[in-house]
């Protein structure tokens, strides 16, 4: 077997004994290359070629891709593939991750269409192929969002569509005309409190998601949150994140500047560079930074341009989902900078700052 579709292997190696409850990994294309070769998958990260197949074996593999209600073994029998050869090929497919266990029952899913749009793709990221299990786990998670202009609202809609089960919203400021658009807030929402307007929007679009407005006054109450996204203008204000840091809640600043947005760093408290680390590094590079930052906090909030808001919202939501799903988000230890006109995220690494003390740094050998 070979992971490179262009370099087909010489033959099928001896495989494991067949297991009754296996299926072809959902979403895997099965493609005939001719000459007894079948390619499973098209993504170069996992596609591979099986060679030395008889015509009946090729038909069998094509059938298990198309007729998912028939078991792999039943399909082999129907196509005239012998048991020994069947098990040999199944062993190869199993070890390649193309055959995966038939999934068990999972918990409730809050994503639209019971997760039908997302489960197959999310299953590609799991050894067991069980994308619905990822969505069921997301349905148990609660994410806080502070700052609900155009960008923050798009993050909230994205997380709800992606199957996060609970959202806590905080932004009591009134909806501005410039917040309207991107499929989020509407002209009719102008003047209402942003968090209440976004809650009403979510009740309509994602009725299974539990949405709550946090009206604690001083900002989000971080208890029982799995992650928090804070959208703010000009520069992340370290003081806003101290409580989240102390409580160990992972958090992600999204900072809107003149013609760019900085997503990150995604802070895993005590384990990766925090907002203060970034601020201290900035002050090291420019001694006037603290004075400039204080002035920026008094400066009018930049509007959220359509493309920047869309790319930044998808980027921020993707980082939070990676965190919730147990992957390592790119924004841990990095700021993702999205600037116009390119509009593509670029990662700039950030390190824990020695004077911050949020991460215990290893002692350097003398
Ligand atoms: Zn720090």
């Amino acid at each position: 077997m070979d992971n490179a579709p262009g370099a087909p292997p010489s033959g099928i190696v001896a495989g494991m004994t067949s297991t009754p409850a296996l299926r072809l990994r959902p979403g895997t294309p099965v493609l005939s290359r001719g000459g007894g070769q079948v390619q499973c998958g098209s993504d170069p990260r996992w596609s591979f070629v099986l060679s030395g197949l008889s015509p009946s074996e090729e038909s069998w593999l094509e059938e298990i891709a198309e007729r998912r209600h028939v078991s792999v073994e039943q399909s082999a029998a129907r196509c005239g593939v012998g048991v020994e050869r069947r098990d040999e090929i199944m062993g190869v497919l199993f070890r390649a991750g193309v055959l995966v266990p038939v999934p068990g029952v999972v918990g409730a899913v809050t994503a639209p269409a019971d997760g039908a749009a997302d489960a197959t793709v999310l299953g590609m990221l799991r050894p067991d192929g069980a994308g619905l299990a990822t969505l069921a786990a997301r349905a148990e998670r609660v994410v806080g969002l502070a700052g609900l202009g155009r960008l923050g609202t798009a993050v909230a809609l994205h997380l709800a569509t992606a199957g996060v089960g609970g959202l806590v919203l905080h932004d009591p400021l009134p909806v501005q005309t410039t917040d309207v658009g991107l499929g989020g807030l509407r002209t009719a929402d102008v003047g209402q409190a942003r968090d209440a307007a976004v809650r009403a929007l979510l009740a309509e679009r994602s009725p299974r998601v539990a949405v709550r407005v946090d009206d604690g006054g001083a900002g989000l109450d971080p208890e029982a949150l799995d992650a928090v996204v804070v959208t703010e203008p000009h520069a992340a204000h370290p003081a806003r994140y101290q409580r989240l840091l102390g409580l160990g809640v992972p958090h992600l600043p999204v900072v809107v500047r003149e013609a760019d947005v900085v997503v990150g760093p995604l802070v895993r408290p005590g384990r990766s560079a925090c907002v203060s680390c970034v601020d201290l590094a900035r002050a090291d590079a420019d001694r006037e930074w603290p004075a400039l930052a204080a002035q920026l906090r008094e400066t009018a909030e930049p509007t959220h341009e359509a493309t920047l808001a869309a790319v930044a919202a998808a980027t921020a939501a993707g980082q939070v989902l990676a965190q919730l799903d147990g992957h390592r988000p790119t924004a841990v230890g990095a700021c993702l900078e999205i600037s116009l006109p390119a509009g593509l995220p670029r990662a700039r690494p950030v390190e824990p700052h020695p004077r911050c003390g949020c991460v215990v740094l290893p002692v350097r050998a003398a």
Side-chain angles (χ1 to χ4, degrees):
M1 299 308 100
D2 197 301
N3 281 331
S10 55
I12 295 167
V13 297
M16 48 157 266
T17 308
S18 69
T19 311
L22 291 175
R23 63 172 178 168
L24 189 76
R25 178 181 284 274
T28 305
V30 172
L31 312 166
S32 172
R33 296 175 62 97
Q37 292 188 338
V38 164
Q39 178 175 327
C40 298
S42 63
D43 187 318
R45 287 176 293 175
W46 47 65
S47 65
F48 85 114
V49 174
L50 206 54
S51 64
L53 298 170
S54 70
S56 58
E57 290 161 356
E58 281 196 58
S59 306
W60 168 45
L61 296 180
E62 282 159 21
E63 181 170 299
I64 62 174
E66 288 164 13
R67 298 175 64 117
R68 295 179 175 278
H69 58 288
V70 178
S71 80
V72 175
E73 290 84 352
Q74 285 170 334
S75 176
R78 193 157 62 190
C79 294
V81 177
V83 171
E84 194 179 319
R85 187 72 177 148
R86 177 198 76 188
D87 289 351
E88 194 179 6
I89 295 171
M90 284 181 70
V92 173
L93 294 174
F94 182 77
R95 286 195 297 278
V98 174
L99 281 184
V100 292
V102 172
V105 176
V106 298
V109 164
T110 57
D114 294 324
D118 297 43
T120 299
V121 177
L122 294 174
M124 287 290 174
L125 308 179
R126 300 172 58 108
D128 64 0
L132 270 182
T134 297
L135 289 169
R138 286 182 182 177
E140 300 285 319
R141 302 306 195 105
V142 181
V143 175
L145 294 128
L148 295 163
R150 230 184 198 182
L151 200 167
T153 300
V155 177
L157 288 168
H158 193 131
L159 292 175
T161 305
V164 173
L167 296 175
V168 180
L169 310 174
H170 179 79
D171 189 344
L173 293 176
V175 175
Q176 309 290 310
T177 51
T178 47
D179 295 337
V180 171
L182 288 185
L185 293 163
R186 300 152 292 196
T187 307
D189 299 316
V190 173
Q192 287 187 56
R194 281 170 169 167
D195 43 22
V198 174
R199 182 181 56 187
L201 191 66
L202 288 164
E204 203 179 285
R205 305 266 180 85
S206 297
R208 292 191 204 168
V209 178
V211 184
R212 186 163 68 76
V213 167
D214 183 295
D215 50 8
L220 274 174
D221 176 4
E223 306 286 349
L225 295 177
D226 294 295
V228 169
V229 181
V230 179
T231 303
E232 58 178 332
H234 302 301
H237 190 347
R240 291 194 75 173
Y241 301 88
Q242 285 307 308
R243 187 140 182 257
L244 294 168
L245 197 65
L247 288 168
V249 179
H251 50 277
L252 179 72
V254 179
V255 176
V256 184
R257 303 191 296 197
E258 289 101 314
D260 77 350
V261 175
V262 182
V263 176
L266 194 153
V267 181
R268 289 175 162 176
R271 293 190 288 150
S272 69
C274 78
V275 175
S276 292
C277 291
V278 175
D279 199 65
L280 287 165
R282 217 154 163 190
D284 287 347
D286 179 356
R287 58 189 293 186
E288 298 305 323
W289 172 246
L292 300 178
Q295 291 172 63
L296 282 171
R297 285 195 267 283
E298 303 301 320
T299 305
E301 181 171 352
T303 52
H304 301 173
E305 185 276 334
T307 301
L308 270 181
V311 177
T315 303
Q319 298 303 300
V320 170
L321 293 167
Q323 168 71 20
L324 298 181
D325 293 349
H327 303 294
R328 184 182 167 85
T330 308
V332 172
C335 286
L336 308 180
E337 298 175 336
I338 304 155
S339 5
L340 288 180
L344 298 171
R346 280 184 317 188
R348 182 172 55 79
V350 293
E351 303 288 339
H353 194 282
R355 287 206 314 281
C356 181
C358 68
V359 174
V360 179
L361 298 172
V363 179
R364 287 206 182 153

